[in-house]
Amino acid sequence: MLLALRIEVDSLAATREAVPRLLEALQRHEAGASFYFNFGPDRGALAQGPLFEIGRDKRQRKLNRALLGPQGWARGYGRPLPAPRVGEQAAAAIRAVREAGFDTGVLAWDRAGWVRRIGTAEQAWVAAELAAACGAHAELCGEPPRATALPGWRLNRAALRQQQQMGLEFGSDTRGRHPFYPVVDGEPVRVPQLPTTLPTLAELIGDGHDEAGAVAAILARSERIPLTGHVFTVQAAADGGKRLPLLEQLLAGWRGQGHEITSLARLYKLLDRAALPWHSVLQQPSPLYGGTLAEQGPAFPG
């Protein structure tokens, strides 16, 4: 059965340092994956605080901050230091992903700005952000992106509508149970969603699980995979750094369970898209995240 990896690469350091380590680990385990990049400014100084932290309480949030490792100058990117353009300063690392045979897509143009503004953003701003990111992908990778994996599962109706207008094949921008066509605020969008179906390492460690327990809990959830597959989100900054040994345990465990570890593009290709159901997209408050996440809701019409 298929288990697809959705890898969020949200900063200059993650692109330069974590991505090469992730590539080596994936190749060792003969695993596929899809990498989604922040192509524009790395505004690390603004990517702090409740909207960007993961944890049900102060202890878990502190633990996840520590697992990101030392951030050095990045803490000042965007204020007071200039924000480096990831696509310009880490172009070689992004191209290396393509050269290694992995597919790529868009996380964001400005990840910090997206998370801060998307809740109330208008169509024009959303269109400009996605156009900038997709244009950078086309320039760096030699072709337009096929898909987005929007930061932290944050979106609005304008974002889904823009995906359709841009002709993207699919999105992986929600949390959910299985692939579906989204209906947001009553508007149907014919761009399938391949939602994240499994919890992340950051969500489990410190929330009733130690590191070994988090790996065991994810493997227990993935032991039986639905016919439409599972999607697991890798957060490159930590999962390609201090949590990399845990990710490798997951890769080995999934292999042991007999699963094919693959890309979202392959999962999409094998879907019977004519049979996909329509589901509403709900904005749900999460005790683990500041703000709300986009989640797969009831079948539409309910």
Side-chain angles (χ1 to χ4, degrees):
M1 301 303 292
L2 297 181
L3 192 150
L5 299 184
R6 170 192 185 273
I7 302 180
E8 292 188 348
V9 189
D10 60 12
S11 67
L12 180 61
T15 308
R16 283 177 169 172
E17 299 167 19
V19 165
R21 291 194 289 265
L22 286 168
L23 287 178
E24 291 176 1
L26 292 168
Q27 289 166 336
R28 279 196 298 273
H29 293 272
E30 299 181 333
S34 295
F35 287 77
Y36 295 89
F37 291 96
N38 183 91
F39 284 94
D42 175 357
R43 298 201 293 166
L46 301 183
Q48 299 175 28
L51 283 176
F52 299 90
E53 293 183 336
I54 305 170
R56 197 177 296 271
D57 53 32
K58 288 183 179 179
R59 176 179 170 277
Q60 190 182 14
R61 291 192 292 272
K62 183 178 179 180
L63 177 60
N64 275 314
R65 283 196 299 270
L67 287 170
L68 288 173
Q71 298 178 62
W73 290 106
R75 291 185 179 275
Y77 288 164
R79 191 175 60 193
L81 299 176
R85 293 279 180 90
V86 177
E88 294 175 1
Q89 299 201 19
I94 295 172
R95 290 193 180 107
V97 173
R98 302 277 295 190
E99 291 165 2
F102 294 87
D103 66 88
T104 56
V106 163
L107 179 70
W109 171 250
D110 172 8
R111 176 237 181 185
W114 183 275
V115 172
R116 285 174 171 269
R117 292 189 58 178
I118 190 58
T120 58
E122 299 291 337
Q123 186 78 38
W125 182 85
V126 170
E129 290 288 301
L130 289 178
C134 291
H137 183 285
E139 182 177 347
L140 278 170
C141 301
E143 64 180 13
R146 300 171 64 184
T148 62
L150 298 174
W153 310 282
R154 317 279 180 134
L155 57 80
N156 63 6
R157 178 171 60 181
L160 291 179
R161 179 189 293 153
Q162 191 63 26
Q163 290 177 345
Q164 184 166 276
Q165 292 178 358
M166 298 178 76
L168 295 180
E169 292 183 1
F170 65 91
S172 185
D173 316 302
T174 57
R175 303 294 290 256
R177 304 174 298 282
H178 54 74
F180 65 98
Y181 284 112
V183 180
V184 57
D185 297 337
E187 180 176 336
V189 176
R190 195 168 281 279
V191 179
Q193 277 290 313
L194 277 57
T196 295
T197 59
L198 294 169
T200 69
L201 284 166
E203 291 165 359
L204 294 179
I205 297 172
D207 186 24
H209 300 276
D210 60 12
E211 292 183 353
V215 171
I218 294 169
L219 290 175
R221 288 274 297 270
S222 60
E223 187 170 359
R224 295 182 179 179
I225 291 186
L227 292 177
T228 51
H230 265 313
V231 175
F232 179 76
T233 289
V234 175
Q235 292 154 332
D239 295 342
K242 290 190 173 184
R243 284 199 297 257
L244 184 57
L246 303 183
L247 179 61
E248 293 216 53
Q249 290 176 36
L250 284 174
L251 295 174
W254 288 325
R255 279 291 182 204
Q257 290 175 338
H259 305 321
E260 177 186 346
I261 308 169
T262 190
S263 66
L264 287 166
R266 175 161 167 75
L267 186 62
Y268 167 78
K269 182 179 179 181
L270 296 177
L271 286 177
D272 181 359
R273 296 187 289 279
L276 283 185
W278 292 86
H279 281 254
S280 61
V281 174
L282 304 178
Q283 300 292 338
Q284 297 283 65
S286 169
L288 286 163
Y289 294 85
T292 59
L293 308 186
E295 294 189 6
Q296 180 180 3
F300 188 90

